[in-house]
Amino acid sequence: MSSIKVECVIKEQNEIGESPVWEEKDSTLLYVDITGKRVSRWNSLTNQIDSIATEKLVGSVVPRQAGGYVIAEGTRFAFVDWVKRSVTPVANVDDREKPNTRFNDGKVDPAGRFFAGTMGLDMKPDVTDGALYTLLPDHSVVQHFDQVHLSNGLDWSLDHRIFYYIDSLAFMVEAFDYDIQTGGLSNRRTVYNMEKDEGIPDGMCIDTEGKLWVACYNAGRVLRIDPQTGTLPHRGKGKARQRDRQAERERLYDRLWLTMANVIIRLKEKERERSKRRGCQLTHQ
């Protein structure tokens, strides 16, 4: 593979950057700051950032076909009207969720269903209070499965027949057979088990060759995984100290957008530190 250049493009500091989505029409990058409780749009042409505050911890954001966006915040889904600067709740999952949980990463499937998962606020390795949900076009919500530590990266194969999924504290990438007609999942299996030095698997996206790019939290690296063989045909590692949170490929297919976090979680010591946060892009050269 050609060489990879790492470039910092967004200087704004966020606490926990997540859910980057490249909006090709406007040349903007959409993303959230989870604990900063805001949704932001960075204009790559003007280098300007516009943000809207959320009421609850916001885990992910996706564009809405009817205009505006849909977010997964707290334990509910909500619509965001960027023009009116408003956030309107759509559906809650409070009755299915255990106490002290929140939504995390999410993504839309090729049929327009919004998949998003939850996690425990304490992020303890022995707690599995999270679950994976789908917000359907009619605003109803389906729970696919529970017993999740920390629901995170997700994406679909190029033919839409396989759903890839990450539960961060299970330290693996999983796959399911996917029914694009119903949105159903079946035949759960492991695609890749993380090595000890590879960090915590976080955000994920797929490239034009069907390979998975996984950003590794608290490790400063990105893994490129072949889901067919469970091997690493290429491994990317940045020299910066920032901790990778999330990944999203730009439609030109030559850039990988990464958000970072300035909160470092030590699972054993249960302590947190802070360091400067940046946003960056990996570019093939």
Side-chain angles (χ1 to χ4, degrees):
M1 177 178 287
S2 56
S3 62
I4 294 178
K5 174 185 177 183
V6 181
E7 178 184 2
C8 175
V9 294
I10 301 176
K11 302 297 192 297
E12 179 187 61
Q13 293 188 15
N14 292 315
E15 294 182 25
I16 302 180
E18 186 87 340
S19 187
V21 179
W22 177 252
E23 299 183 285
E24 184 174 10
K25 178 182 177 181
D26 301 318
S27 296
T28 56
L29 186 69
L30 180 71
Y31 60 95
V32 305
D33 181 356
I34 297 177
T35 52
K37 298 181 182 179
R38 61 182 174 183
V39 181
S40 298
R41 297 177 71 221
W42 171 69
N43 189 311
S44 64
L45 303 179
T46 65
N47 200 33
Q48 298 298 307
I49 300 174
D50 188 19
S51 301
I52 290 181
T54 62
E55 179 183 344
K56 303 175 182 293
L57 298 176
V58 54
S60 49
V61 57
V62 295
R64 186 184 177 200
Q65 187 176 34
Y69 305 98
V70 188
I71 59 173
E73 63 163 354
T75 53
R76 72 185 185 189
F77 292 98
F79 289 154
V80 176
D81 188 317
W82 209 268
V83 177
K84 296 181 179 178
R85 319 292 292 185
S86 63
V87 177
T88 305
V90 176
N92 291 278
V93 296
D94 295 350
D95 59 333
R96 311 182 196 187
E97 278 294 297
K98 295 181 180 180
N100 300 316
T101 59
R102 68 163 176 84
F103 270 116
N104 198 45
D105 199 9
K107 194 169 291 184
V108 176
D109 84 341
R113 306 178 186 97
F114 185 16
F115 279 66
T118 56
M119 55 174 282
L121 293 176
D122 293 334
M123 289 181 283
K124 297 179 179 178
D126 58 342
V127 175
T128 55
D129 288 345
L132 181 68
Y133 295 93
T134 295
L135 175 67
L136 301 177
D138 64 1
H139 304 173
S140 62
V141 177
V142 173
Q143 184 190 90
H144 294 278
F145 53 81
D146 55 10
Q147 298 296 306
V148 173
H149 298 86
L150 197 169
S151 189
N152 230 315
L154 60 164
D155 213 333
W156 288 262
S157 61
L158 301 181
D159 62 6
H160 309 153
R161 294 183 178 181
I162 301 175
F163 172 72
Y164 297 108
Y165 177 74
I166 291 175
D167 177 353
S168 289
L169 299 187
F171 294 94
M172 66 177 70
V173 179
E174 296 181 286
F176 298 76
D177 290 344
Y178 190 68
D179 188 329
I180 189 63
Q181 299 302 319
T182 66
L185 305 176
S186 62
N187 190 24
R188 188 173 189 172
R189 57 209 183 263
T190 300
V191 167
Y192 182 79
N193 286 301
M194 301 292 291
E195 298 291 337
K196 185 176 180 180
D197 66 340
E198 290 175 340
I200 302 173
D202 201 300
M204 176 170 58
C205 67
I206 195 166
D207 64 23
T208 56
E209 297 178 0
K211 305 300 189 294
L212 301 174
W213 291 74
V214 177
C216 300
Y217 181 83
N218 207 18
R221 73 173 72 221
V222 181
L223 303 180
R224 185 173 186 251
I225 300 171
D226 184 335
Q228 301 301 317
T229 64
T231 59
L232 304 177
H234 177 80
R235 176 183 302 197
K237 183 171 182 180
K239 296 182 178 179
R241 295 179 58 195
Q242 291 82 1
R243 273 62 183 177
D244 299 325
R245 282 293 301 177
Q246 189 42 270
E248 164 70 7
R249 57 182 166 81
E250 184 178 347
R251 297 308 177 190
L252 294 177
Y253 305 113
D254 65 346
R255 294 179 182 178
L256 181 73
W257 297 100
L258 300 168
T259 55
M260 309 286 185
N262 72 0
V263 175
I264 306 172
I265 303 168
R266 301 189 189 281
L267 297 175
K268 293 183 179 180
E269 293 82 6
K270 300 180 182 178
E271 62 184 27
R272 295 184 178 184
E273 298 176 336
R274 293 188 179 275
S275 63
K276 291 184 178 180
R277 181 269 183 198
R278 296 289 186 269
C280 71
Q281 64 178 1
L282 271 65
T283 307
H284 292 180
Q285 295 183 321

